[in-house]
Amino acid sequence: MFLKNAWYVIAWGEEVGRAILARTVCNESIVVYRTEGGKVAALENACCHRQLPLAMGKLVGDNLQCGYHGLTFDPTGRCVAVPGQSTIPPEAGVRRYPVVEKYRMVWVWLGAPEQADEAKIPHLDRLANPDWVGKTGQQFHLHCNYELLNDNLMDLGHETFVHITSIGSEEVVAAHIKTTRDENAVRVERWMPDHDPAPFWKSAIKLAAQYDGHVDRWQQIEFIPPCNYILHVGVAPVGTGARQGDKSRGIEGCVISINTPETDHTCWQFWTFMRNFQTDQRDVDEKIGQAVHDLLSEDVLILNEQQKNLLARKNIRKVDIGHDAGGIQARRLIQRRLEEEGTLA
Ligand code: FES
Ligand SMILES: [Fe+2]
């Protein structure tokens, strides 16, 4: 069950050019490409004639020509040419998806086109703020349902076990978490005061602020259904007022992860780590991008294996623990949206 009336990231903007890119979102196969003027078009990946995937065709100017008998479609999906005849059957055409390029990502809308309001795209301010920098264009393809990835990101207590060589430390799993939910979002917050930082943060604050002591650390998660995840993280020299609202002595990062469902048991993770430190040292983009890539790869391994077990086993027991609060609330919010949409009716 996937929400239809939602914007889903199908690709980073930099992936979409004058070559046809085919990707499946919520079990719907879609092609995207850029017109000569630079606008992104999104069409269903099946010709209305005999269903050849349009990804096997080619671009002719702004139009997409099917690779079988040459029917040609404009960026709105309208058939504009049928080779060998002068008339075009009135019903000839393919589905066009509303599409928007925003925050360096390409978003498609799967539901009713008249409800495709651009204002419903979640605010990813860190990607629009010139004071924040980072490497974009990064992604993983996972062999798990997207809600397993949501769960993973909502419960960062796993860092202590999965990411102990980078961002994990005992303080993460031991910290008190505060979970809140309104009708649009779930938020989870965790503070880890006065401790020797995990390796990633120890090195980051040393390089960025020449500080090598204990820190106060925070994680502030915002989840917006169905699969949009924003995590504000950071560390500051201990007792410098970060928790009271003054993070100026610290260094901050923001993980954005858009967990687009592909099929029932696969998904995409479009992610970036933006930061507000060492912003003039762009080689740091690559270094931190690689470090975060490596630690997220540890999650990919876990999630793929978790999904295998879920599929292989019958009568699964599922015991919840306190750290699951955010993930459970996220699932409830998605469920409620599905009910509102009538998908579950
Ligand atoms: S299948 Fe596309 S033109 Fe025939
Ligand atoms: Fe993780």
Side-chain angles (χ1 to χ4, degrees):
M1 294 290 182
F2 299 118
L3 270 175
K4 293 291 182 192
N5 287 326
W7 290 102
Y8 288 98
V9 169
I10 189 168
W12 284 98
E14 61 202 73
E15 294 183 85
V16 181
R18 294 289 293 160
I20 305 164
L21 174 68
R23 229 163 238 174
T24 296
V25 176
C26 301
N27 290 322
E28 297 187 25
S29 183
I30 299 170
V31 288
V32 287
Y33 66 92
R34 226 173 256 285
T35 64
E36 287 175 329
K39 286 227 177 315
V40 179
L43 302 176
E44 72 174 297
N45 187 18
C47 178
C48 64
H49 177 224
R50 292 294 182 266
Q51 303 298 310
L52 188 77
L54 287 175
M56 296 176 72
K58 66 174 184 186
L59 296 183
V60 180
D62 284 351
N63 299 333
L64 203 169
Q65 184 182 67
C66 180
Y68 200 173
H69 313 96
L71 263 68
T72 303
F73 305 93
D74 75 9
T76 69
R78 195 167 58 96
C79 182
V80 293
V82 179
Q85 64 184 60
S86 55
T87 57
I88 295 172
E91 69 280 14
V94 295
R95 178 175 169 194
R96 171 192 79 95
Y97 289 86
V99 60
V100 170
E101 189 167 10
K102 193 168 184 185
Y103 303 123
R104 306 180 210 174
M105 297 171 177
V106 175
W107 305 74
V108 291
W109 177 271
L110 304 189
E114 65 277 7
Q115 291 183 42
D117 179 0
E118 195 176 323
K120 292 178 185 163
I121 291 176
H123 298 291
L124 304 178
D125 301 337
R126 298 301 190 222
L127 276 170
N129 183 339
D131 294 337
W132 286 68
V133 299
K135 182 180 177 185
T136 55
Q138 308 198 81
Q139 61 190 264
F140 287 106
H141 180 250
L142 289 92
H143 290 269
C144 72
N145 179 277
Y146 80 106
E147 286 194 280
L148 295 188
L149 179 54
N150 285 348
D151 291 344
N152 166 276
L153 293 161
M154 294 304 279
D155 165 23
L156 297 177
H158 77 264
E159 289 183 1
T160 304
F161 306 96
V162 180
H163 308 304
I164 194 66
T165 60
S166 53
I167 51 173
S169 70
E170 288 301 326
E171 289 75 17
V172 185
V173 74
H176 170 75
I177 53 169
K178 184 175 156 203
T179 306
T180 52
R181 176 184 137 185
D182 62 29
E183 57 188 71
N184 298 314
V186 179
R187 294 181 182 83
V188 180
E189 181 168 334
R190 167 194 273 111
W191 281 87
M192 293 145 279
D194 193 359
H195 66 281
D196 189 26
F200 174 93
W201 289 112
K202 194 176 185 68
S203 149
I205 196 166
K206 199 168 173 179
L207 287 170
Q210 292 73 53
Y211 179 79
D212 194 15
H214 275 206
V215 296
D216 297 325
R217 177 180 174 189
W218 61 91
Q219 294 169 332
Q220 294 163 312
I221 297 166
E222 184 179 17
F223 170 81
I224 301 160
C227 56
N228 305 295
Y229 177 88
I230 305 158
L231 166 63
H232 296 280
V233 288
V235 292
V238 65
T240 52
R243 190 160 191 177
Q244 291 69 41
D246 177 11
K247 292 174 176 158
S248 61
R249 299 272 312 278
I251 56 171
E252 296 178 68
C254 178
V255 177
I256 292 167
S257 178
I258 313 294
N259 312 326
T260 303
E262 182 187 46
T263 66
D264 294 357
H265 301 126
T266 57
C267 64
W268 294 95
Q269 181 179 25
F270 300 99
W271 65 273
T272 182
F273 181 98
M274 304 297 287
R275 67 182 192 281
N276 74 346
F277 54 93
Q278 292 174 293
T279 54
D280 54 345
Q281 297 172 45
R282 301 313 298 267
D283 58 316
V284 175
D285 294 9
E286 202 56 52
K287 284 185 193 140
I288 289 192
Q290 187 62 47
V292 180
H293 171 278
D294 292 348
L295 74 90
L296 290 178
S297 300
E298 296 171 329
D299 292 304
V300 172
L301 197 68
I302 295 248
L303 291 164
N304 290 353
E305 293 302 317
Q306 184 191 5
Q307 180 70 72
K308 270 193 220 165
N309 237 0
L310 286 168
L311 288 173
R313 297 166 70 87
K314 303 260 182 288
N315 305 321
I316 293 162
R317 286 182 68 213
K318 199 162 152 269
V319 178
D320 294 327
I321 60 171
H323 282 290
D324 295 318
I328 289 170
Q329 294 296 337
R331 283 176 179 264
R332 286 198 187 139
L333 201 44
I334 293 169
Q335 197 71 9
R336 214 182 70 194
R337 286 283 174 83
L338 285 166
E339 283 161 12
E340 283 167 6
E341 202 175 275
T343 316
L344 291 178

